[in-house]
Amino acid sequence: MGFSQALSGLNAAATNLDVVGNNIANSQTVGFKSSGVQFADVYTGAMAGQGTRVASVLQDFTNGTLEPTGRDLDLAINGSGFLRFAQNDQVVYSRNGRLTLTREGFLENAQGARLTGLPAGVGSGGQPEVLRVPAGGMNANPTTGVEASFNLDATVDTVDRTAVPFDPADGDSYSYANTGTAYDSLGVQHTMTTYFTKTADNTWEVRVAVDGAADTTTGQLVFDTNGTLDEAASTSPGYSFTPGGGADPINFAIDFDGTTQFGSDFALGSLTQNGYAAGALVGIDFDDAGNILGKYANEQTQVLGTIALANFRNPEGLSPRGDNTWVETGASGQPLLGLAGAGQFGKLESGAVEVSNVDLTNELVDLIVAQRNYQANTQTIKVQDEVLQSAVNLR
């Protein structure tokens, strides 16, 4: 019976060599997960066992090292989870996030599998679908609100408004002016100028002009003796302007929260407004939560969709399908879907990939052990052959 034991050992050692060799061959494959062979003895109640067999080939899903690439379309999962792809009417899962953007707007891997996720604005309760980046640009957004903070010089002289009427062309009719930008509904940029006039101690008149057309509404900023804005006593002018050219009227209010009156030069602390021009899509990026961010020529960003991650109760039960992909099985359990960075799911790292988790040093040692195991089993056959030959030569 010694031949059968040795033959089973040879078959098992050959399988081990195949697995180790496959690990070594894929040591540079992005997203690859190494495997290991588990052996079991064969025993049928005889005094000696019947050899060995390969009980299973287990996959090792420990995380590989994240390697920066500097490429915007490269993705890596920093933690647990799988990217979800649609390929040939089948859902497959992968840790390889090296993607390309097709001319149709799909995010694909090298094998043509398309990344899936949730449409923009749906949230985690939506149904995953193939993600597609729209080719259209971003519409213009008119200015509806302005936030500004200034320091107004407390040492300047007051202006007697009854004697000196306001005139944008007359610098003596106001104390300080600052210029900003506003946008109409067509995305046309307009010049917005804010005029400040000190009319009494701790009291300032505020006017706004767009493209030189001054607003008839007058606001008032009142400060306490410490130079802090008294918001309850102050009023902010709401501005309305009809730009023409087919655009809707511009309507906005200015929030002067944080404005001060100190004995120092006039200074602009901050000036922001929520309008912007139309812009073409110039690129995409990903954030830690898996949102696909469209980058536009008007320097704005917009969420175009959210990548959905999947996880399994038993990842080792997944069935490999090649090309760095797996499919679910009864042993793996059904996929648990979620968003990056939430609960058990890792965060997404843009501009990086997860390299293979193969440890070449360990694999080379395992290769030597597998080789010695194979040679030892061949030696068993050789000895059994010599014993059998001795028995045949008995007279």
mmCIF file of all heavy atoms in Angstrom, residues 204-207 215-220 235-237:
data_model
loop_
_atom_site.group_PDB
_atom_site.id
_atom_site.type_symbol
_atom_site.label_atom_id
_atom_site.label_comp_id
_atom_site.label_asym_id
_atom_site.label_seq_id
_atom_site.Cartn_x
_atom_site.Cartn_y
_atom_site.Cartn_z
ATOM 1 N N TRP A 204 -22.631 103.617 10.247
ATOM 2 C CA TRP A 204 -22.178 103.654 8.862
ATOM 3 C C TRP A 204 -23.352 103.337 7.932
ATOM 4 O O TRP A 204 -24.142 102.431 8.195
ATOM 5 C CB TRP A 204 -21.059 102.629 8.620
ATOM 6 C CG TRP A 204 -19.795 102.917 9.361
ATOM 7 C CD1 TRP A 204 -19.575 102.776 10.687
ATOM 8 C CD2 TRP A 204 -18.584 103.390 8.788
ATOM 9 N NE1 TRP A 204 -18.293 103.132 11.011
ATOM 10 C CE2 TRP A 204 -17.645 103.509 9.844
ATOM 11 C CE3 TRP A 204 -18.173 103.733 7.499
ATOM 12 C CZ2 TRP A 204 -16.359 103.953 9.654
ATOM 13 C CZ3 TRP A 204 -16.873 104.162 7.303
ATOM 14 C CH2 TRP A 204 -15.973 104.279 8.372
ATOM 15 N N GLU A 205 -23.404 104.086 6.860
ATOM 16 C CA GLU A 205 -24.375 103.816 5.801
ATOM 17 C C GLU A 205 -23.744 102.843 4.793
ATOM 18 O O GLU A 205 -22.559 102.940 4.485
ATOM 19 C CB GLU A 205 -24.742 105.123 5.100
ATOM 20 C CG GLU A 205 -25.644 104.961 3.888
ATOM 21 C CD GLU A 205 -25.736 106.253 3.103
ATOM 22 O OE1 GLU A 205 -26.594 107.075 3.456
ATOM 23 O OE2 GLU A 205 -24.928 106.433 2.145
ATOM 24 N N VAL A 206 -24.566 101.899 4.292
ATOM 25 C CA VAL A 206 -24.076 100.918 3.324
ATOM 26 C C VAL A 206 -24.939 100.979 2.077
ATOM 27 O O VAL A 206 -26.179 100.956 2.153
ATOM 28 C CB VAL A 206 -24.120 99.482 3.898
ATOM 29 C CG1 VAL A 206 -23.552 98.499 2.886
ATOM 30 C CG2 VAL A 206 -23.352 99.396 5.206
ATOM 31 N N ARG A 207 -24.293 101.072 0.916
ATOM 32 C CA ARG A 207 -24.983 101.017 -0.368
ATOM 33 C C ARG A 207 -24.275 100.018 -1.283
ATOM 34 O O ARG A 207 -23.076 99.760 -1.132
ATOM 35 C CB ARG A 207 -25.010 102.397 -1.038
ATOM 36 C CG ARG A 207 -25.859 103.438 -0.321
ATOM 37 C CD ARG A 207 -25.746 104.782 -1.009
ATOM 38 N NE ARG A 207 -26.553 105.807 -0.350
ATOM 39 C CZ ARG A 207 -27.811 106.097 -0.697
ATOM 40 N NH1 ARG A 207 -28.392 105.440 -1.686
ATOM 41 N NH2 ARG A 207 -28.469 107.045 -0.065
ATOM 42 N N ASP A 215 -27.935 100.867 -5.760
ATOM 43 C CA ASP A 215 -29.209 100.474 -5.163
ATOM 44 C C ASP A 215 -29.775 101.644 -4.369
ATOM 45 O O ASP A 215 -29.058 102.359 -3.674
ATOM 46 C CB ASP A 215 -28.983 99.263 -4.253
ATOM 47 C CG ASP A 215 -30.287 98.711 -3.690
ATOM 48 O OD1 ASP A 215 -31.350 99.115 -4.185
ATOM 49 O OD2 ASP A 215 -30.207 97.898 -2.765
ATOM 50 N N THR A 216 -31.075 101.845 -4.499
ATOM 51 C CA THR A 216 -31.715 102.923 -3.749
ATOM 52 C C THR A 216 -31.938 102.555 -2.293
ATOM 53 O O THR A 216 -32.208 103.433 -1.459
ATOM 54 C CB THR A 216 -33.065 103.277 -4.389
ATOM 55 O OG1 THR A 216 -33.892 102.099 -4.421
ATOM 56 C CG2 THR A 216 -32.877 103.794 -5.809
ATOM 57 N N THR A 217 -31.841 101.254 -1.975
ATOM 58 C CA THR A 217 -32.021 100.799 -0.597
ATOM 59 C C THR A 217 -30.731 101.053 0.186
ATOM 60 O O THR A 217 -29.645 100.706 -0.262
ATOM 61 C CB THR A 217 -32.375 99.311 -0.535
ATOM 62 O OG1 THR A 217 -33.532 99.088 -1.331
ATOM 63 C CG2 THR A 217 -32.625 98.868 0.890
ATOM 64 N N THR A 218 -30.867 101.635 1.340
ATOM 65 C CA THR A 218 -29.709 101.955 2.169
ATOM 66 C C THR A 218 -29.719 101.099 3.424
ATOM 67 O O THR A 218 -30.732 101.013 4.119
ATOM 68 C CB THR A 218 -29.711 103.441 2.575
ATOM 69 O OG1 THR A 218 -29.729 104.244 1.396
ATOM 70 C CG2 THR A 218 -28.476 103.768 3.400
ATOM 71 N N GLY A 219 -28.588 100.443 3.693
ATOM 72 C CA GLY A 219 -28.430 99.683 4.925
ATOM 73 C C GLY A 219 -27.652 100.491 5.946
ATOM 74 O O GLY A 219 -27.083 101.554 5.634
ATOM 75 N N GLN A 220 -27.605 99.977 7.162
ATOM 76 C CA GLN A 220 -26.916 100.701 8.223
ATOM 77 C C GLN A 220 -26.201 99.723 9.141
ATOM 78 O O GLN A 220 -26.779 98.719 9.565
ATOM 79 C CB GLN A 220 -27.921 101.539 9.029
ATOM 80 C CG GLN A 220 -27.278 102.384 10.123
ATOM 81 C CD GLN A 220 -28.286 103.284 10.805
ATOM 82 O OE1 GLN A 220 -28.411 104.470 10.487
ATOM 83 N NE2 GLN A 220 -29.030 102.730 11.759
ATOM 84 N N THR A 235 -28.926 97.061 9.880
ATOM 85 C CA THR A 235 -29.762 96.569 8.782
ATOM 86 C C THR A 235 -28.893 96.384 7.546
ATOM 87 O O THR A 235 -28.007 97.199 7.270
ATOM 88 C CB THR A 235 -30.907 97.549 8.461
ATOM 89 O OG1 THR A 235 -30.361 98.816 8.101
ATOM 90 C CG2 THR A 235 -31.847 97.690 9.646
ATOM 91 N N SER A 236 -29.135 95.300 6.833
ATOM 92 C CA SER A 236 -28.354 95.008 5.638
ATOM 93 C C SER A 236 -29.214 95.268 4.410
ATOM 94 O O SER A 236 -30.367 94.835 4.356
ATOM 95 C CB SER A 236 -27.887 93.553 5.643
ATOM 96 O OG SER A 236 -27.201 93.256 4.448
ATOM 97 N N PRO A 237 -28.703 95.968 3.408
ATOM 98 C CA PRO A 237 -29.516 96.239 2.225
ATOM 99 C C PRO A 237 -29.721 94.983 1.384
ATOM 100 O O PRO A 237 -28.785 94.269 1.069
ATOM 101 C CB PRO A 237 -28.678 97.276 1.461
ATOM 102 C CG PRO A 237 -27.268 96.998 1.874
ATOM 103 C CD PRO A 237 -27.347 96.550 3.298
#
